Amino acid sequence: MARQKKRQEAAWKSRKQEQHPHGKIRSLKEISSEYDEKNTTG
């Protein structure tokens, strides 16, 4: 039983360390200003 618990803990730790964050969350103003910049030049 102890081996199984250690395996589960190791698997959980590896999953936690391998997470890929999605980056900074932008505000609607930032998104809309980028949208305006792209569409006004074309």
Side-chain angles (χ1 to χ4, degrees):
M1 292 280 279
R3 285 186 184 180
Q4 184 179 5
K5 186 169 184 177
K6 289 213 182 254
R7 280 187 197 154
Q8 287 177 347
E9 288 178 1
W12 183 81
K13 285 180 184 177
S14 68
R15 281 197 305 272
K16 281 299 215 178
Q17 290 175 354
E18 292 174 5
Q19 286 183 354
H20 302 289
H22 296 287
K24 180 184 168 190
I25 298 175
R26 298 179 294 169
S27 67
L28 287 175
K29 288 181 182 179
E30 291 174 347
I31 295 171
S32 65
S33 67
E34 287 180 10
Y35 179 80
D36 288 342
E37 288 173 6
K38 289 179 184 176
N39 288 335
T40 54
T41 57

